[in-house]
Amino acid sequence: MAPLTDLYHLTMAYGHWRAGRHRAPAAAELFFRRGPFRGSFALGAGLAEGLRCLRAFRFSAADVAYLRSVLPSTTEDAFFDYLATLDASEVTLSAVPEGSVVFARVPFLQVKGPLLVVQLLETTLLCLVSYASLVATNAARFRLLAGPDMKLMEMGLRRAQGPDGALSASKYSYIGGFDYTSNVLAGKLYGIPVRGTIAHSFIMSFTSLEEVQPRELPPLAGGEPVDLVALAESWLGQVCELLQTPPEKANRGELAAFVSYAIAFPQDFQGLLDTYCVRRSGLPNFCAVALALHQLGYRAIGVRLDSGDLAQQSKEIRQVLRACGAHFQVPWFETILIAVSNDISEQSLEEFSREGSEIDMIGVGTNLVTCPLQPSLGCVYKVGVAALCPAWLVEVNGSPCLKLTEDEEKVTIPGTKTMYRLYDAAGHPFMDLMALEEEPSPSTGQELAVRVLGQLREASKVVPTAVEPLHRTYFRDGQVRGATLRMVALESSLELTRWGLRLGGQHPTWTWSCISILQVCELLPSLPEVAMTERLHHLLTELLQASQ
């Protein structure tokens, strides 16, 4: 994994090595400057892949030979010998647990170790964390819009950016709150529940009932096989009479497809209703086969819609299912699951909620895995610096440094920090607090002076009833420590609910001004959930004054 980096990290590494500062202790923080999708939060993800990278971090003989061919010919041989000895055994990584709510400017992870190695890890960790967190956040937004009871299925494999992107999307959508994936390999690799129905092509491949082979299905309780084709045909007449629709309008090829699928999967029968006409064909054909299965002791499990006004059709379908259940005395019929797909977006979910629907499951593909509303999270990786160190560091040799440029959004918060999550009396988190590493932990039940980001002119007083360190150490001495992958979608959903998070919360556009130190401080994003201690604020002020 070590060569998975940008070339300039190797040239900078050589510069550090020649200057004899390659082993200087350094600390890096990985964070994002603005909430993605014009919102206020992200879900941190990609930690497990980052730890896998640390375990595998080394340059093989073939890697070193390649680097000799691309670095300038003046590069000393001893540097390549040094690269061959590198690993991450002196690196310590701490991070928020996978799937945790993270706010802008609050580090998702921190990396400590020798300067040269900490620097070389930048691009790799950014690559592994940024897309993972973006997709997890996108999934969480769908979950918030859908509500806790709606079943969500990720089905973006065919739309994703290659197989790696597809597998990552399945994995991190699950962390973000989805219930299922259609991706079989993701199910195998990550233990995600897989689901699927049938496609239009399956239904269109049948043209008549004569094509159904075999035709018979034994009752669930045992006994002689029954001709399911004939049984479904008899039920179709009764269903059409109830629905007052002509039986001849029900497509016989579609009925044949449903019967064939029901014989193959009698306990998992599902129908795709919109290959032809939902009301006159798909729905009567499905009800006929489902009632035939019921007569043999089986239960159909669901229907799917893939076109049209999904919310309105779902209500009409539920009405028909209820009517059939009542008329034919099959109580469970009205609870048959209704699933929808067809380029589902956040706007689609808002419309479902506004119009009301009877939808039980939503399949989301393109608008989930490709993140079209924001294709990149824009994470950054900053390391602590001494006064003359490069701008990308936050601390080296124990000396903090502030990056202050003409681009106000790139102003950094200095020093190696510890992050805390503060809770109120109801057990709800209300603030993430950044403190310098050497500061004592906030005490529960005691008043604490803080500076809320975006409101740094005045101190605020808070009294937490519980204090939780936000980061946990996951890698030290070359070993992964503790569980890393939180693959329980419910936990992420519950955390979102506890924060009372909404999809809005966009911060105003900043306008660069260097009139005063307080004005520069006010350029930090206005997030009521994020604050710094007075001591950290004092350090920030000192460094701002020194930079004037």
Side-chain angles (χ1 to χ4, degrees), residues 321-371:
L321 295 176
R322 288 183 179 130
C324 285
H327 183 79
F328 299 115
Q329 299 183 351
V330 185
W332 58 264
F333 218 74
E334 67 177 77
T335 65
I336 288 174
L337 181 145
I338 300 175
V340 299
S341 53
N342 188 30
D343 204 24
I344 300 294
S345 64
E346 289 186 5
Q347 182 179 353
S348 304
L349 270 65
E350 290 170 349
E351 291 172 355
F352 296 161
S353 176
R354 183 171 57 250
E355 298 173 13
S357 79
E358 290 288 343
I359 297 169
D360 302 298
M361 179 184 290
I362 300 173
V364 190
T366 304
N367 290 299
L368 175 63
V369 305
T370 66
C371 300

Side-chain angles (χ1 to χ4, degrees), residues 254-335:
E254 181 180 57
L255 180 61
F258 286 172
V259 172
S260 182
Y261 193 81
I263 291 172
F265 300 102
Q267 298 188 71
D268 296 278
F269 173 59
Q270 305 171 70
L272 177 59
L273 302 187
D274 63 325
T275 305
Y276 305 108
C277 175
V278 174
R279 177 72 184 187
R280 291 183 298 177
S281 182
L283 191 50
N285 279 333
F286 169 81
C287 290
V289 176
L291 289 165
L293 285 173
H294 170 72
Q295 189 172 334
L296 300 182
Y298 301 98
R299 276 195 181 192
I301 64 172
V303 298
R304 179 165 71 96
L305 291 168
D306 193 47
S307 62
D309 186 336
L310 301 176
Q312 180 60 32
Q313 288 186 97
S314 73
K315 290 185 282 189
E316 294 171 358
I317 290 169
R318 184 68 70 199
Q319 185 178 12
V320 168
L321 295 176
R322 288 183 179 130
C324 285
H327 183 79
F328 299 115
Q329 299 183 351
V330 185
W332 58 264
F333 218 74
E334 67 177 77
T335 65

Side-chain angles (χ1 to χ4, degrees), residues 376-498:
S376 173
L377 179 56
C379 287
V380 292
Y381 182 93
K382 302 296 179 184
V383 189
V385 207
L388 299 179
C389 284
W392 50 265
L393 292 173
V394 289
E395 185 171 301
V396 170
N397 282 325
S399 300
C401 186
L402 174 73
K403 179 177 180 179
L404 183 61
T405 73
E406 290 302 311
D407 185 348
E408 75 280 358
E409 194 170 16
K410 294 188 176 181
V411 174
T412 59
I413 300 175
T416 303
K417 296 176 279 296
T418 300
M419 267 58 64
Y420 300 97
R421 185 151 285 175
L422 309 184
Y423 293 81
D424 61 20
H428 298 140
F430 68 89
M431 178 176 288
D432 282 355
L433 180 66
M434 291 186 281
L436 289 169
E437 189 175 52
E438 61 268 22
E439 291 189 71
S441 171
S443 299
T444 59
Q446 295 187 9
E447 187 176 76
L448 178 68
V450 301
R451 301 279 181 144
V452 176
L453 267 63
Q455 305 172 27
L456 296 179
R457 294 177 184 271
E458 298 181 2
S460 301
K461 304 291 186 180
V462 297
V463 181
T465 57
V467 178
E468 175 190 20
L470 194 56
H471 284 186
R472 303 175 190 175
T473 299
Y474 286 106
F475 190 88
R476 178 181 290 160
D477 300 327
Q479 300 295 322
V480 174
R481 298 169 175 265
T484 61
L485 186 59
R486 189 173 66 179
M487 291 295 288
V488 181
L490 180 60
E491 292 187 22
S492 295
S493 300
L494 286 175
E495 187 169 9
L496 292 170
T497 302
R498 288 164 67 203

Side-chain angles (χ1 to χ4, degrees), residues 230-246:
L231 190 59
E233 279 197 290
S234 69
W235 275 109
L236 179 61
Q238 298 178 66
V239 170
C240 288
E241 182 179 356
L242 174 66
L243 302 183
Q244 297 182 338
T245 183

Side-chain angles (χ1 to χ4, degrees), residues 138-216:
N138 200 22
R141 292 172 63 85
F142 276 97
R143 170 51 67 194
L144 284 170
L145 283 169
D149 299 325
M150 181 71 70
K151 296 299 181 183
L152 295 176
M153 181 171 73
E154 176 273 318
M155 47 190 297
L157 175 57
R158 64 187 63 193
R159 307 294 187 215
Q161 291 91 341
D164 291 343
L167 286 170
S168 294
S170 298
K171 179 179 183 179
Y172 298 115
S173 295
Y174 188 59
I175 289 177
F178 272 56
D179 301 283
Y180 311 108
T181 180
S182 67
N183 187 335
V184 176
L185 183 56
K188 174 188 175 184
L189 293 176
Y190 309 127
I192 306 172
V194 293
R195 291 291 185 274
T197 56
I198 55 177
H200 293 293
S201 59
F202 180 85
I203 294 172
M204 295 170 66
S205 69
F206 289 84
T207 59
S208 70
L209 291 168
E210 285 70 32
E211 299 173 47
V212 178
Q213 293 296 332
R215 298 171 60 90
E216 295 182 331

Side-chain angles (χ1 to χ4, degrees), residues 96-139:
V96 299
E98 192 111 48
S100 296
V101 171
V102 186
F103 299 107
R105 299 279 174 167
V106 177
F108 167 45
L109 59 81
Q110 294 175 311
V111 182
K112 297 179 182 179
L115 172 58
L116 187 147
V117 177
V118 170
Q119 175 200 293
L120 285 175
L121 290 169
E122 176 180 358
T123 299
T124 308
L125 291 175
L126 284 171
C127 174
L128 295 175
V129 167
S130 293
Y131 178 69
S133 299
L134 186 71
V135 173
T137 305
N138 200 22

